[in-house]
Amino acid sequence: MTEITIQGRGGQGGVTLAKLIATAYFLQEKHVQAFGVYAAERSGAPVQAYVRIDDQEIINHNAIQSPDHLIVLDRTLVSPVLTGGLKEAGWIVLNTSETPGGVGSAFAGRNVATIDATRIALANGLGTRAVPIVNTTIFGAVARVLGLSFEQVEGTLRSLKFVGANVEACRAAFEDVQTAHLSGHATSAVPPKAGGRAAGLFDETVGERPRILTGTWANRQPQRQSLTPPCNHVCPAGNDVRGFIHAAGKHNDDEALRTLLRTSPFPSVCGRVCPAPCMEACNRQYFDSAINVRELERHVGDHGRRPPPTKPFRAERVAIIGSGPAGLSAAFTLAKLGYQVTVLESQDELGGLLRTGIPSYRLPRDVLDREIQYILDHGVRAECGQRVDRERLLTLSREFDAVFVATGLQELQSLNLHGQPGVVVQGIEFLDRVRRGLERLEGMHVVVVGGGNTAVDAARSARRIGAAEVRIVYRRTRKEMPAIQEEIAEAIDEGIGLDELVAPLRVRWDGVGPLLTCQRMRLGEPDESGRRRPIPDEGEDAQFDLRCDRVILALGQSADISILPEGSEIHEGTDLLGLTSAPVFACGDFASNDGTVAAAIGGGRRSGWHVHRTLTGEDLFPPPEAPLAGPDAVITHLFSHRPRSEGDTLPASLRRRSFVEVRRGFAAGTERLAASEAKRCFSCGVCNECDRCVDHCPEGIMVRNGDGCGYHFDENYCKGCGVCAAECPRGVIFMAEL
Amino acid sequence: MGRELVTGNHAAGHALAAAGEANRFARGCCGGAYPITPQTEIIELLRGFTFTKGRIVPVESEHSAMGACIGASLNGARAFTASSSNGLAYMAENVFAAGYYRLPIVMIAVNRTLGPPWNIWVDQGDSLMLRDAPWMQFYTGSHQDLVDTILLAFRVAEDARILLPAMVAMDGFVTSHTQMGVNLPEQALVDRFLPPCSIPHRLNTAHPTTIGGLTWPKETERHRRDIEDAMQRVPDVWREAADEFSSVFGRRPDGPIVAEGAEDADVVLVACNTMVQTARRAIQKRREAGQRIGLVKLKMFRPFPRELLRRTLGRVPRIGVLDRNHSPGSGGIFAQELAASLQGRSDCLLQDYIVGIGGGDVTPEVIDEILDDLLRRKTAEAPVWKEVAA
């Protein structure tokens, strides 16, 4: 009987090699037996396989102790133990790039054959670099030293359906194998077995980590990555949306607020007026419904404690023209960096459009005042009633180390409706007059033209100051209106009419009063903004009249660039004047015309960083964003469905004649509601220390470092099974090849 | 199919598939499938087999795997499954039900140590846990013995005089994962050997009946006696089936027990599964040296072949039993059963050796040590624990 032992690592194909050798002799009508030792069914673990070949029936089934030949698939397995019991006349076939003479004293006095099977296997695309599959390759070398012909080898491969690369690799090894008889005396003493009794269930040593460092078998290990959650990705203000929600979920509103204040001075404002693109991007919408981010931001802004403000400590002075969200965001950013900031505002109060353009039933004055005051508390000087023209800008650029132009969109889009003055007014101006108590519309018919937030605000304000009938006319459909959809719904609840697919033509007078002639529209092909272009409808009823005492235009605004020298190009973060005395920057809507408070906040902060970089060389811009955590990053079946918590709303009957705030936030005294809503967050792509990796690690070697400090694992025992990566609900853990 | 080099699992899978396919002109076949190491390859092979009439039903547990077999068999299909270790423990309730329903289901038990502590290697504790179930049990050694026994098990189980399920055991890994040459049966021959499966009490809407409803002690006594009577008929039915097998396949299958040199022996070892073959190697040398040592392979465990063993071992003065199993508080199960069969013999020294528990490698050297002990001892004692893995 010939007995062969194969020493390899899990995944290399040792058991299949045993079958190949057995088959070669089986096809010659020999009696054969091939078997493996099955235990650690893990890639990389040392495994043995055995072959018996005999002319008579093979009856014993025990493992082979004294093999005739030894095949070693992995050079790192070579040790004196390996040759224990090996018969002297047989072959040692070794997978190595060395020559037989170079394999060292372990094989003195032996017949040694070497073959670089790993190289040949990889060259033929068999397996991976971490686990090359060398079985068919080394079979060529084994067959050669055992005296088989290549025809027999080919027949064996064919009978086991190995073709192509396997045959080529096998042929290369058959031809390349090097053999030698090494000088010296062979030692084949069987090393003594470990003595003593095995551990019982109650021995203290039971359950101890194995003495074998099983981590050395690994060909991959878990690593952690942070992806970009979609809410963070889309937030125009650049808020760490996921981060503040995570803190809120731990009932830590103070920490949540600190997170928001890192990027925005206006959490309470945004928590009321932001269109919340984060909620539109939220991955949870594909599971049940998006996280109520806006309401959470409001809750945190209203209930979190603001940290004590810092004071300026730098000599550099910065002037900011305009106190809208962009200007104040820039002021806040620079003040926190220690700059001496002066804000120049043409109106008599700070806040820009936040104050003049957003009605108080959406944004109460005390809320705005509180957040502006916190900015001023950082040592920001404010000068109101300061209109800055081109001349003044040049003066400022000499007096200050940097100047911002954050004047927003002062130029209002108009439409010639041939109306008399006083009948047709601008929405922004109307809202400001309402705020100052200068408007009365008692019993009037009002038509608002436009589909943005200003249009809806103007309509709802008109209703509140007594208009008998208010209609919004919009040339596309409700779906295309840029206004916040909830606001549109609330307006309709308050009894405001909405005429979709209608465009105003002209105001005329019929003896009773003014009439607005309108044109019915339909939607045609998409324009460059991707929205379908409205085109006039034809036919008899295509034009109609609406009774109107007042027409309010809310058609959008653009930047008034008269402040700048002619030919200036406006880009966020560029020096507008190219002056050496002081850089002048544009920021907010004035620079980018994004049209949202959140975008203005983001623009203001980035402009502040630009200035800081220009003045000090220090770069505060974050590194390029990590890849986006899309819906696929989340294993949603690990979560339970839970409905979204909504804030309270004042009933329509109570709000029609009142400027009391409509949205009331999460009901008073229900901090738990906010925390419970925050806990719905998937935390897409960012570890929130849910401990699932710890719970599921089959080796018990994943360890939590402590709150907020992540995890570590014992590399000595990580076999790279990948359970932690498969169980991570949010795509943070992945397996990296070693 | 001719002679193939395959694992024990694949040999068993081929035999089950051929038996199932052979019923294609009757009511087809059905296998309940749930994987467990080291039996999984059987299930995998069966799932890949395309039956002309029948299917493999993947289920969520061993309990349901046997449930599927019970349902199929009650409808006249040839039903089979396979399991191991804790899977058999979980299946146990339905194992008993299958037998009490008198359904000729065949199950492969790939012997694996029951956990905890977790252990995937062979001992016979799992199938022997079910020794008191109304099932025939056969323990097999070589791959050929395994294949032949599976086919015979179907034949005997479905015989109208028997109608009892049969369990065919093999050693986990040592048989299940070892590649050896074996004659896999040609389908045409299996078709000849296995007549269409006929279950007289199968469910039939033309003759609605209740099966397995509430019975009084009187009916239950009768039911149990019927099962015992059927068990007692098994050796005769087996002999007939084995004769038929020989004429169809041209080879003689192993009998319920296989005795080698036992009649005139001074010492006989009794063993099952692959330990028999390893023991044979050790014994061969001693016989060549003139020692009169015999060997008995115990294949049929249920019904226990009491008569055959009494006849074979009636005059042997020393018997050693190799038990790869352990009934806590009592010892090795084969030794107990054998002692009960030989009751009244005071001249016999019967020593129990518990060996190879948890898959310990039983080498010819271990058998030698056991024989030395057996030849030396003056009296039989409590079971000897032969720890071979240390």
Side-chain angles (χ1 to χ4, degrees):
Chain A
M1 179 158 32
T2 303
E3 294 182 314
I4 302 172
T5 298
I6 299 165
Q7 301 276 359
R9 291 190 181 277
Q12 288 183 316
V15 175
T16 304
L17 175 59
K19 178 162 188 180
L20 281 163
I21 297 169
T23 302
Y25 288 94
F26 181 73
L27 293 174
Q28 299 174 45
E29 309 285 316
K30 301 273 189 189
H31 290 273
V32 296
Q33 185 185 61
F35 56 105
V37 173
Y38 294 84
E41 292 169 4
R42 260 295 302 135
S43 185
V47 293
Q48 293 83 42
Y50 302 101
V51 186
R52 286 193 173 98
I53 303 158
D54 205 348
D55 293 323
Q56 297 160 10
E57 191 187 353
I58 297 164
I59 53 174
N60 53 326
H61 277 268
N62 53 301
I64 292 170
Q65 306 293 338
S66 297
D68 297 278
H69 308 294
L70 171 68
I71 303 166
V72 186
L73 301 186
D74 189 314
R75 180 72 171 88
T76 61
L77 291 168
V78 171
S79 75
V81 179
L82 221 55
T83 48
L86 177 63
K87 287 175 190 154
E88 217 171 306
W91 283 99
I92 295 169
V93 183
L94 199 54
N95 173 16
T96 174
S97 56
E98 296 152 294
T99 60
V103 296
S105 56
F107 302 123
R110 302 280 186 183
N111 297 315
V112 175
T114 63
I115 182 69
D116 192 353
T118 303
R119 181 186 57 77
I120 296 172
L122 288 175
N124 283 279
L126 303 171
T128 64
R129 189 154 296 280
V131 186
I133 301 172
V134 295
N135 50 10
T136 46
T137 308
I138 211 155
F139 174 54
V142 172
R144 180 75 176 273
V145 301
L146 294 182
L148 295 170
S149 71
F150 196 70
E151 286 69 41
Q152 289 171 319
V153 169
E154 274 187 311
T156 302
L157 290 169
R158 195 166 45 243
S159 80
L160 293 178
K161 300 188 173 65
F162 283 111
V163 292
N166 282 297
V167 178
E168 289 318 308
C170 185
R171 185 196 308 276
F174 188 86
E175 288 164 1
D176 290 358
V177 62
Q178 298 182 57
T179 58
H181 180 82
L182 302 190
S183 59
H185 282 287
T187 52
S188 45
V190 179
K193 284 184 177 177
R197 256 182 86 83
L201 199 57
F202 301 106
D203 295 358
E204 281 181 11
T205 50
V206 162
E208 272 188 356
R209 300 233 165 121
R211 268 164 297 174
I212 308 165
L213 296 184
T214 48
T216 58
W217 308 347
N219 52 57
R220 50 182 202 156
Q221 273 183 350
Q223 283 186 11
R224 285 162 199 272
Q225 61 187 348
S226 278
L227 304 174
T228 304
C231 47
N232 288 18
H233 175 69
V234 299
C235 179
N239 288 340
D240 180 6
V241 180
R242 188 222 64 93
F244 101 79
I245 292 176
H246 179 64
K250 292 178 171 303
H251 299 267
N252 194 342
D253 290 343
D254 297 348
E255 170 63 25
L257 182 56
R258 276 197 297 277
T259 303
L260 284 168
L261 290 173
R262 276 201 279 275
T263 45
S264 161
F266 288 122
S268 288
V269 168
C270 284
R272 287 170 168 82
V273 305
C274 187
C278 49
M279 293 169 69
E280 283 166 30
C282 179
N283 281 336
R284 182 135 190 160
Q285 68 185 297
Y286 309 111
F287 181 64
D288 45 17
S289 52
I291 305 296
N292 200 339
V293 181
R294 184 166 44 219
E295 216 62 83
L296 281 170
E297 184 174 14
R298 170 190 173 132
H299 171 86
V300 166
D302 289 359
H303 295 93
R305 273 176 308 186
R306 284 169 169 71
T310 57
K311 293 296 176 198
F313 54 85
R314 288 178 181 277
E316 294 95 332
R317 297 166 68 238
V318 180
I320 293 170
I321 305 164
S323 71
L328 290 179
S329 168
F332 185 60
T333 304
L334 289 163
K336 285 195 297 180
L337 289 169
Y339 291 93
Q340 304 194 34
V341 180
T342 302
V343 176
L344 302 163
E345 170 58 51
S346 63
Q347 304 275 321
D348 48 11
E349 284 180 280
L350 296 177
L353 212 67
L354 294 174
R355 189 176 299 279
T356 62
I358 300 179
S360 60
Y361 65 83
R362 277 178 67 202
L363 177 56
R365 298 303 157 214
D366 60 323
V367 172
L368 178 62
D369 290 342
R370 179 161 48 82
E371 297 211 308
I372 291 178
Q373 187 56 50
Y374 183 63
I375 298 168
L376 297 179
D377 289 346
H378 286 72
V380 173
R381 285 185 56 215
E383 294 177 17
C384 290
Q386 302 282 327
R387 180 162 284 282
V388 176
D389 56 12
R390 198 177 290 173
E391 282 305 298
R392 180 82 191 278
L393 179 63
L394 288 170
T395 314
L396 290 172
S397 74
R398 282 189 289 274
E399 290 171 0
F400 286 84
D401 296 291
V403 182
F404 281 90
V405 182
T407 49
L409 306 174
Q410 302 289 337
E411 200 78 356
L412 305 177
Q413 297 284 332
S414 194
L415 187 67
N416 188 0
L417 297 173
H418 310 287
Q420 292 154 319
V423 174
V424 181
V425 299
Q426 277 289 354
I428 293 281
E429 289 164 2
F430 169 76
L431 288 170
D432 192 33
R433 286 174 60 78
V434 170
R435 172 179 79 91
R436 294 167 187 274
L438 302 176
E439 284 283 359
R440 281 282 174 273
L441 297 177
E442 217 57 62
M444 287 191 182
H445 296 273
V446 176
V447 176
V448 180
V449 181
N453 282 320
T454 304
V456 178
D457 288 345
R460 298 175 74 186
S461 295
R463 180 82 177 152
R464 281 167 170 73
I465 58 172
E469 188 198 10
V470 184
R471 310 196 67 78
I472 297 173
V473 301
Y474 182 55
R475 56 196 185 132
R476 293 186 170 94
T477 66
R478 180 172 171 178
K479 209 169 60 191
E480 281 91 24
M481 288 172 71
I484 298 174
Q485 291 294 320
E486 292 97 315
E487 304 273 345
I488 300 170
E490 285 172 12
I492 289 169
D493 283 350
E494 290 164 14
I496 287 160
L498 172 62
D499 295 313
E500 300 169 78
L501 293 168
V502 171
L505 288 179
R506 69 192 80 84
V507 176
R508 64 186 182 88
W509 193 265
D510 69 348
V512 179
L515 288 168
L516 179 66
T517 303
C518 297
Q519 167 72 50
R520 290 200 194 280
M521 313 291 279
R522 59 190 168 82
L523 292 181
E525 295 301 305
D527 62 11
E528 57 275 11
S529 74
R531 297 184 301 177
R532 292 173 68 189
R533 189 193 303 275
I535 48 179
D537 220 352
E538 285 129 33
E540 259 175 51
D541 301 328
Q543 293 193 358
F544 61 98
D545 291 333
L546 287 175
R547 175 67 61 198
C548 66
D549 300 304
R550 195 65 65 82
V551 176
I552 301 173
L553 298 181
L555 303 170
Q557 302 101 264
S558 56
D560 175 5
I561 57 167
S562 62
I563 190 172
L564 301 177
E566 279 179 34
S568 295
E569 281 195 32
I570 308 174
H571 295 295
E572 188 178 287
T574 53
D575 180 352
L576 290 171
L577 306 183
L579 298 171
T580 50
S581 53
V584 177
F585 294 96
C587 73
D589 274 354
F590 180 77
S592 61
N593 197 0
D594 285 321
T596 64
V597 174
I601 292 168
R605 188 185 65 256
R606 284 193 302 274
S607 300
W609 287 341
H610 274 299
V611 165
H612 183 67
R613 188 168 62 187
T614 310
L615 295 178
T616 68
E618 186 188 10
D619 191 346
L620 297 175
F621 285 89
E625 209 177 72
L628 187 66
D632 295 345
V634 182
I635 307 178
T636 49
H637 70 251
L638 299 177
F639 297 87
S640 348
H641 287 272
R642 206 141 59 75
R644 173 155 91 195
S645 302
E646 303 287 357
D648 290 347
T649 305
L650 208 62
S653 57
L654 290 179
R655 63 194 198 224
R656 267 184 214 129
R657 295 302 299 265
S658 158
F659 279 85
V660 170
E661 189 175 20
V662 171
R663 304 250 187 86
R664 314 302 297 176
F666 289 131
T670 52
E671 287 72 26
R672 281 187 311 129
L673 199 61
S676 131
E677 176 62 15
K679 280 181 190 149
R680 291 178 67 235
C681 176
F682 284 160
S683 189
C684 309
V686 180
C687 179
N688 65 351
E689 298 184 341
C690 71
D691 284 351
R692 204 174 162 81
C693 51
V694 175
D695 296 345
H696 284 76
C697 175
E699 302 293 327
I701 52 168
M702 188 70 81
V703 181
R704 172 190 260 271
N705 293 337
D707 282 357
C709 299
Y711 301 87
H712 74 275
F713 63 92
D714 190 338
E715 295 189 5
N716 286 328
Y717 295 102
C718 175
K719 299 176 194 157
C721 70
V723 169
C724 52
E727 288 294 334
C728 178
R730 40 193 58 83
V732 172
I733 304 178
F734 68 99
M735 299 305 293
E737 295 252 325
L738 291 177
Chain B
M1 296 192 68
R3 198 166 169 79
E4 301 267 338
L5 181 61
V6 295
T7 63
N9 273 342
H10 279 186
H14 276 292
L16 289 177
E21 184 65 6
N23 204 38
R24 62 193 177 284
F25 301 118
R27 291 184 65 80
C29 68
C30 179
Y34 193 77
I36 181 172
T37 300
Q39 149 273 27
T40 304
E41 288 175 329
I42 300 177
I43 296 298
E44 284 174 349
L45 184 133
L46 288 172
R47 274 291 278 173
F49 191 90
T50 309
F51 290 99
T52 308
K53 185 176 183 180
R55 57 183 292 220
I56 302 300
V57 184
V59 289
E60 87 303 337
S61 70
E62 288 87 356
H63 189 269
S64 296
M66 183 52 69
C69 289
I70 290 172
S73 187
L74 270 173
N75 277 282
R78 181 166 285 154
F80 44 84
T81 187
S83 194
S84 293
S85 187
N86 291 49
L88 285 169
Y90 188 43
M91 184 193 280
E93 186 197 21
N94 272 340
V95 171
F96 278 79
Y100 288 139
Y101 277 128
R102 305 292 302 268
L103 298 172
I105 296 163
V106 171
M107 172 160 66
I108 311 300
V110 184
N111 286 135
R112 163 181 164 182
T113 306
L114 282 160
W118 231 225
N119 180 308
I120 58 173
W121 301 283
V122 59
D123 74 33
Q124 271 90 43
D126 54 353
S127 53
L128 288 173
M129 157 187 71
L130 297 166
R131 65 177 162 163
D132 298 331
W135 282 60
M136 294 177 275
Q137 286 200 2
F138 305 106
Y139 289 83
T140 64
S142 71
H143 285 28
Q144 199 63 59
D145 184 25
L146 170 67
V147 168
D148 296 353
T149 304
I150 291 169
L151 297 177
L152 277 158
F154 278 108
R155 170 90 186 216
V156 174
E158 292 170 8
D159 191 287
R161 294 163 287 178
I162 307 294
L163 286 171
L164 284 171
M167 199 181 299
V168 179
M170 71 169 114
D171 283 351
F173 293 107
V174 181
T175 302
S176 69
H177 283 60
T178 296
Q179 323 237 12
M180 291 192 77
V182 58
N183 289 310
L184 294 179
E186 301 281 351
Q187 187 64 51
L189 298 183
V190 179
D191 291 351
R192 263 176 63 198
F193 178 62
L194 291 179
C197 176
S198 165
I199 296 169
H201 56 304
R202 80 170 172 85
L203 301 178
N204 187 342
T205 49
H207 305 285
T209 53
T210 300
I211 297 178
L214 179 70
T215 60
W216 298 103
K218 182 181 164 207
E219 289 84 13
T220 310
E221 283 172 344
R222 165 78 194 278
H223 176 253
R224 298 299 200 265
R225 270 295 298 276
D226 283 351
I227 288 174
E228 185 55 33
D229 290 349
M231 280 287 189
Q232 295 312 319
R233 288 191 286 269
V234 169
D236 288 340
V237 175
W238 175 281
R239 203 175 309 114
E240 285 175 31
D243 290 345
E244 176 72 13
F245 186 97
S246 306
S247 73
V248 172
F249 292 99
R251 64 173 178 271
R252 187 80 200 165
D254 284 358
I257 70 169
V258 179
E260 297 167 29
E263 292 78 3
D264 62 341
D266 300 326
V267 171
V268 167
L269 285 183
V270 180
C272 77
N273 287 22
T274 55
M275 267 201 306
V276 175
Q277 291 154 281
T278 306
R280 187 181 293 143
R281 174 155 291 264
I283 289 168
Q284 269 171 0
K285 283 187 186 160
R286 296 205 177 216
R287 289 175 73 93
E288 282 160 17
Q291 294 185 3
R292 287 194 296 179
I293 297 178
L295 176 65
V296 167
K297 172 197 174 191
L298 190 63
K299 171 148 86 180
M300 186 187 290
F301 176 73
R302 280 290 179 272
F304 197 73
R306 209 170 279 170
E307 246 342 283
L308 271 173
L309 286 166
R310 211 176 291 163
R311 233 181 294 144
T312 308
L313 298 170
R315 282 189 292 276
V316 176
R318 272 170 202 264
I319 301 170
V321 183
L322 308 183
D323 264 310
R324 202 171 210 164
N325 64 77
H326 169 228
S327 176
S330 178
I333 292 169
F334 289 117
Q336 297 163 30
E337 300 263 349
L338 185 61
S341 299
L342 301 177
Q343 59 182 326
R345 276 197 55 200
S346 56
D347 57 332
C348 172
L349 187 156
L350 192 151
Q351 178 61 44
D352 184 12
Y353 297 90
I354 293 176
V355 59
I357 293 291
D361 191 16
V362 181
T363 60
E365 292 73 33
V366 169
I367 307 286
D368 266 330
E369 288 168 26
I370 287 173
L371 281 171
D372 287 345
D373 177 87
L374 187 59
L375 289 163
R376 226 182 6 244
R377 68 173 47 246
K378 303 234 178 335
T379 55
E381 289 167 30
V384 172
W385 281 81
K386 190 76 189 157
E387 293 178 21
V388 298

